[in-house]
Amino acid sequence: MTKSDLDARLKNDATDNKFLIDGDYIVFDKKSNLNYEVIPHFTLKVLLTSNPLSKTRLSKGVLLSLNTLRETVDCPFTIRASYHSPEYHLLSFGFHDSDLYTTGNALSIGVPPDFVEPLLNAVQSDAKIGEYGVYSWGLHIGYTKDAKTWDFRKDAPKNQLLTNLLTNDKMKNIALIGAAAAAVWFFFIKK
């Protein structure tokens, strides 16, 4: 499937299936026709965000990469994570997960354990996927020009998770805001 094929099909089907085309992104929610197959084997329901208060926003590039990966690696795929609103991302995954979820440029793909390595090989050959993380359950893929990779096939050491937490600017800001709020409460409100 080419980008122009996907563009034409989505443009033709958007109104009837209650989703929007926003430039290079598709935007949908629970009111959309969740049975609509965006690309072969993947319906809107499968790609819907787990955040119940948010619309899902996904890049057409990510969808095309997902389609290519599915054609290359013939096994069952599950989408473990898709779009996160910035607030949801920060509260649930922000200290250790990719910000590409907040722009609709990332997916987490679950596959049976025997297919993690073939999926990794397919991801490495897709030039559009600049960010990927390998886990025992599958891969995170990010549609970006910036190259970034990690491999957590075995449980990440606790010190690595702590390092990730402490080096993340957003989490530092949350800690500072929390400390400031605690100080205000302790010195001014507690009286």
Side-chain angles (χ1 to χ4, degrees), residues 28-30 44-58 79-85 88-89 91-93 97 101 106-108:
F28 58 96
D29 60 15
K30 290 182 179 180
L44 292 178
K45 183 177 184 177
V46 169
L47 297 166
L48 190 66
T49 183
S50 57
N51 180 359
L53 303 176
S54 178
K55 291 182 182 274
T56 302
R57 180 178 191 264
L58 289 176
I79 302 302
R80 294 176 59 110
S82 67
Y83 174 78
H84 302 154
S85 67
Y88 181 74
H89 182 73
L91 292 173
S92 56
F93 304 101
D97 216 344
Y101 287 103
L107 290 171
S108 288

Side-chain angles (χ1 to χ4, degrees), residues 1-7 9 38-40 63-64 67-68 71:
M1 177 181 295
T2 66
K3 185 175 186 313
S4 58
D5 292 338
L6 180 63
D7 285 340
R9 196 165 75 70
V38 183
I39 56 175
L63 295 172
L64 288 169
N67 184 60
T68 301
E71 288 174 348

Side-chain angles (χ1 to χ4, degrees), residues 20 48 57 92 103 129 144 182:
L20 301 172
L48 190 66
R57 180 178 191 264
S92 56
T103 60
I129 299 173
T144 180

Side-chain angles (χ1 to χ4, degrees), residues 89-157:
H89 182 73
L90 191 58
L91 292 173
S92 56
F93 304 101
F95 74 92
H96 74 281
D97 216 344
S98 173
D99 285 341
L100 293 176
Y101 287 103
T102 64
T103 60
N105 289 304
L107 290 171
S108 288
I109 305 167
V111 294
D114 293 345
F115 290 94
V116 170
E117 200 64 37
L119 181 60
L120 174 59
N121 293 335
V123 164
Q124 290 171 332
S125 67
D126 186 338
K128 303 282 188 201
I129 299 173
E131 178 177 284
Y132 62 87
V134 188
Y135 298 89
S136 60
W137 47 260
L139 270 76
H140 151 84
I141 61 168
Y143 195 75
T144 180
K145 293 177 184 173
D146 301 326
K148 182 179 177 185
T149 64
W150 60 90
D151 189 341
F152 286 154
R153 276 180 263 199
K154 297 182 180 174
D155 290 335

Side-chain angles (χ1 to χ4, degrees), residues 15-81:
T15 303
D16 291 343
N17 292 286
K18 299 178 185 169
F19 61 84
L20 301 172
I21 306 297
D22 181 14
D24 281 336
Y25 295 86
I26 178 174
V27 181
F28 58 96
D29 60 15
K30 290 182 179 180
K31 296 175 185 173
S32 303
N33 174 9
L34 297 180
N35 294 320
Y36 176 73
E37 194 172 67
V38 183
I39 56 175
H41 306 287
F42 296 96
T43 62
L44 292 178
K45 183 177 184 177
V46 169
L47 297 166
L48 190 66
T49 183
S50 57
N51 180 359
L53 303 176
S54 178
K55 291 182 182 274
T56 302
R57 180 178 191 264
L58 289 176
S59 159
K60 293 176 190 173
V62 165
L63 295 172
L64 288 169
S65 290
L66 179 61
N67 184 60
T68 301
L69 294 174
R70 180 65 179 83
E71 288 174 348
T72 306
V73 181
D74 188 22
C75 74
F77 277 43
T78 57
I79 302 302
R80 294 176 59 110

